[in-house]
């Protein structure tokens, strides 16, 4: 992976993760939370989806600003360190 900055890989990996979670929620997943022990569960899926979409947009924007020549490329980080 010579030539790729660790920060670029970090941003890209986080972006992929957030996008995957958004896809998961968009395909019908539901997230419910209880505000306290014994309280009824409340559906927070739409709030969580919107928050993660905004995060993905911010990450993509940051990546484009910092790495304009690489912004649209996908980098596959190594699964294991070589050290």
């Amino acid at each position: 992976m010579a030539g790729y900055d660790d920060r670029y890989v970090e941003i890209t990996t986080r972006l992929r993760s957030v996008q995957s979670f958004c896809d998961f929620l968009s395909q019908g997943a539901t997230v419910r939370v209880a505000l306290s022990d014994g309280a009824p569960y409340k559906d927070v899926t739409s709030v969580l989806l919107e928050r993660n979409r905004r995060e993905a947009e911010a990450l993509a924007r940051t990546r484009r600003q910092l790495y304009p020549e690489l912004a649209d490329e996908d980098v596959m980080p190594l699964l294991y360190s070589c050290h």
Side-chain angles (χ1 to χ4, degrees), residues 11 15 53-63 65:
I11 292 169
L15 177 58
R53 282 184 177 160
R54 282 194 309 265
E55 182 180 353
E57 290 168 4
L59 286 166
R61 193 171 37 254
T62 299
R63 188 172 76 163
Q65 290 171 348

Side-chain angles (χ1 to χ4, degrees), residues 8 12 25 30 32 34 36 39 41-42 45-47 56 59 62 71 75 80-81:
Y8 177 79
T12 300
L25 293 177
T30 303
R32 294 184 183 105
S36 62
Y41 286 96
K42 179 181 176 185
T45 306
S46 61
V47 172
L59 286 166
T62 299
V75 173
Y80 301 101
S81 175

Side-chain angles (χ1 to χ4, degrees), residues 7-9 11-13 15-16 19 57-75:
R7 180 73 175 138
Y8 177 79
V9 173
I11 292 169
T12 300
T13 302
L15 177 58
R16 282 185 188 160
Q19 289 171 330
E57 290 168 4
L59 286 166
R61 193 171 37 254
T62 299
R63 188 172 76 163
R64 278 192 303 273
Q65 290 171 348
L66 295 175
Y67 307 96
E69 70 283 0
L70 299 174
D72 295 326
E73 294 181 23
D74 275 337
V75 173

Side-chain angles (χ1 to χ4, degrees), residues 19-33:
Q19 289 171 330
S20 293
F21 187 61
C22 288
D23 290 344
F24 174 70
L25 293 177
S26 296
Q27 293 174 9
T30 303
V31 179
R32 294 184 183 105
V33 296

